[in-house]
Amino acid sequence: MNDGRGTNPFSMMLGLGLALYAIISVTLTQGNSISELCLMLMLGGLLLSLTSPRLAFTAWIITSGYIDLVKRLMVLSGRVSQSDLYYVLGIHPLMLGGITISLIVGAMLGRHRLRQADLLRFIAALMFMGLAALVSWRENGLQMGTVMADVANSGFYAMLLFVVPLLIKDLDAVLRLLRLVVIAYTPVAVYGIIQQIVGFQDFEIEYLLTGLSIEIKQLLSNEVRAFSTLNSPTALGFGCGACLIFCYILGWHRDQKAAQFRFPKLLIILMMAAFLGGLASATMRSAFVLVPVGLLGSWLFSSRIRTRVFYMSMVIGFVALVISSKWMLQVLPQAMAAMGDVSGDSVFMSQMLRVGTYYERLMGFSNCLANPAAYTLTGFGAERGRDYGDEFMNHDPLSNILIRYGAPALFLTLFSIWMALRVMHRSVLSLPEGGSRRTAALLLSVPLGYMVASVLQGSVFGTFPLNLLAYLCLGLIQSLGRSMQPEASQVPAAPHMDFRPPPRSMMTQPRMLPRPAPGSFAAGRRPFTPP
């Protein structure tokens, strides 16, 4: 729990014993050996998280881009079942839980100090998890496996709001962590480009044929939308978009020498080209919204007035989109035909110019948000709005909340989003002008870009590792704010009155007066006065 101390001999012996058991178990297993190995890695990752949270956090970041590749490689070791996937997908949530427990216990033992803001972030993360569990229970019933999976995907990574500020202390550490992220994810982008050019490998096709991935639709439609080492084209597109912004932060940080940080500009330009290629290979049109938001983020969000103008423009534009959705549904087929003529026989261009998914979003705006009959107190249930024959058919998160849970739930969601954005923007604007505020503004553009894209194409916050990257950016913003606040030990104590008597040694001795003469008035005798 304390990285500054030596390795605990008990932990070392336990780790060696676990490694030996893993070798024997994987060698002699009758099931899927990679699944058995992932089970051992899950237990080893938990042990590492409890004993060395900082090292575990580094390994956690690096492996986040490749855990789904391990899932697909399981087809090389035999039959793959749904239970095998739990051993792979459970590694990262369990490690994050171990890191959280280690930091809490370390604070209880006095190894680091928890502030009031840290406790508030911890409570906020618990509230996110509770909300995710409540939504899962409402949609799927009281099925513990499903509820735990939904909490792990949608709510548990909010714990990064608590973990990251305790591990990442200042701007130097923030830049070093972003450097680690872009280095770790560069092979992901390169493999996505290769995958789009040469197609899927045999083991990837074999895994898709198992039916355990929704991407089997690519085989049914005979098309290739690269997902690289991640689980979907959505994850690849938005992950590369976030890394583009990280590269922009690293390459154009104005004072690398003062920040004790080095990263060659040429290397960053090559990485940005790789991430831009990965973004294009995923054919995710909505993910391109991260490019303008990231380029303008440092200018928009570093000023209170510009931030308000940005959100006012976004609200006005969205209301105009909802009001005009019926008219756009009428003209969109003509646009789709024109896009088909432009793309010609190119499969890649037809995927990039396809606007059919936007047609479904506009249907949701027209059927739900612009329809007064859709606004009820309790909603129509979890089954409504899914079929094309339903009068409330929708394909966006806001319409989905309105139809399933009612207007109060929608307004409460919008209010919660407004409060969260207000807190984050206040954290950015509270930083001094310069590198810290600029970095925080660019970090905030990543979850904001995800939010804008979610309105257009469906929520991406429940997709791994996009949920990790979004909450990581929010946690890094809190790290920058925390670094500007003095420790409690550095704050001078308030003056107070001390009514205790001074020590006897500090008391001044009374001055001795000369003894009065006998019979004088000072000696206590009254002088004679005649009657």
Side-chain angles (χ1 to χ4, degrees), residues 175-187:
L175 295 176
R176 288 194 294 269
L177 179 63
L178 294 180
R179 180 178 58 183
L180 174 67
V181 172
V182 298
I183 291 175
Y185 274 77
T186 298

Side-chain angles (χ1 to χ4, degrees), residues 89-421:
L89 302 180
I91 293 177
H92 276 74
L94 198 63
M95 287 185 66
L96 180 57
I99 294 172
T100 304
I101 294 174
S102 177
L103 293 175
I104 293 175
V105 175
M108 295 174 61
L109 297 178
R111 293 173 180 170
H112 50 263
R113 185 185 299 274
L114 288 182
R115 306 176 184 176
Q116 183 179 5
D118 299 325
L119 298 178
L120 292 178
R121 285 191 290 268
F122 180 73
I123 295 173
L126 293 179
M127 292 176 63
F128 275 113
M129 295 169 58
L131 180 61
L134 183 62
V135 172
S136 178
W137 170 74
R138 173 71 185 271
E139 294 186 358
N140 305 308
L142 194 58
Q143 302 177 9
M144 292 305 298
T146 304
V147 171
M148 291 178 63
D150 291 340
V151 170
N153 291 328
S154 302
F156 188 59
Y157 290 97
M159 196 57 68
L160 289 172
L161 297 174
F162 169 75
V163 168
V164 173
L166 297 180
L167 295 177
I168 310 300
K169 300 295 186 180
D170 50 24
L171 179 60
D172 300 351
V174 169
L175 295 176
R176 288 194 294 269
L177 179 63
L178 294 180
R179 180 178 58 183
L180 174 67
V181 172
V182 298
I183 291 175
Y185 274 77
T186 298
V188 177
V190 173
Y191 185 65
I193 298 173
I194 297 174
Q195 198 177 60
Q196 182 65 42
I197 296 174
V198 305
F200 298 129
Q201 300 298 316
D202 292 339
F203 75 94
E204 294 170 336
I205 296 176
E206 186 177 353
Y207 178 77
L208 294 179
L209 289 174
T210 61
L212 296 175
S213 173
I214 194 176
E215 296 304 319
I216 192 176
K217 61 185 178 182
Q218 297 196 37
L219 299 181
L220 300 177
S221 59
N222 194 25
E223 63 180 11
V224 175
R225 297 181 63 191
F227 47 73
S228 186
T229 61
L230 305 178
N231 58 21
S232 64
T234 300
L236 176 61
F238 285 95
C240 289
C243 290
L244 271 174
I245 297 178
F246 297 160
C247 288
Y248 183 62
I249 295 174
L250 296 172
W252 281 265
H253 184 71
R254 297 177 180 175
D255 198 0
Q256 291 190 8
K257 186 178 294 185
Q260 301 177 359
F261 172 78
R262 300 290 185 274
F263 211 178
K265 289 283 184 68
L266 179 59
L267 180 59
I268 290 181
I269 292 174
L270 294 176
M271 286 183 170
M272 293 183 73
F275 288 124
L276 189 59
L279 175 59
S281 65
T283 65
M284 290 298 303
R285 285 85 59 196
S286 301
F288 280 93
V289 75
L290 288 169
V291 177
V293 172
L295 291 176
L296 297 176
S298 61
W299 180 75
L300 285 174
F301 305 136
S302 58
S303 169
R304 182 174 285 102
I305 296 177
R306 290 193 292 267
T307 300
R308 291 176 178 175
V309 171
F310 170 78
Y311 281 106
M312 290 177 62
S313 303
M314 292 292 294
V315 171
I316 293 174
F318 181 72
V319 172
L321 179 63
V322 172
I323 294 175
S324 62
S325 57
K326 292 184 179 180
W327 172 79
M328 296 185 67
L329 286 172
Q330 298 174 0
V331 301
L332 196 59
Q334 302 175 2
M336 295 172 63
M339 293 293 183
D341 296 337
V342 172
S343 62
D345 297 332
S346 175
V347 177
F348 177 74
M349 289 301 298
S350 64
Q351 293 173 350
M352 291 295 294
L353 299 177
R354 184 183 303 166
V355 293
T357 53
Y358 297 110
Y359 187 85
E360 296 175 351
R361 272 72 178 181
L362 291 174
M363 286 183 62
F365 296 158
S366 177
N367 296 339
C368 304
L369 297 181
N371 185 4
Y375 290 83
T376 62
L377 292 177
T378 58
F380 297 95
E383 300 299 326
R384 295 296 301 271
R386 298 182 177 181
D387 300 330
Y388 281 90
D390 194 336
E391 62 175 327
F392 297 121
M393 183 270 170
N394 63 84
H395 210 279
D396 65 280
L398 296 182
S399 300
N400 192 18
I401 294 174
L402 176 62
I403 297 303
R404 292 188 177 187
Y405 309 112
L410 176 62
F411 296 143
L412 181 61
T413 300
L414 294 176
F415 177 76
S416 301
I417 293 174
W418 176 76
M419 288 295 297
L421 291 175

Side-chain angles (χ1 to χ4, degrees), residues 40-63:
M40 298 298 108
L41 289 176
M42 184 167 60
L43 298 177
L46 177 61
L47 176 63
L48 179 64
S49 302
L50 293 173
T51 56
S52 182
R54 195 176 301 277
L55 178 61
F57 185 73
T58 302
W60 188 77
I61 290 292
I62 295 174
T63 57

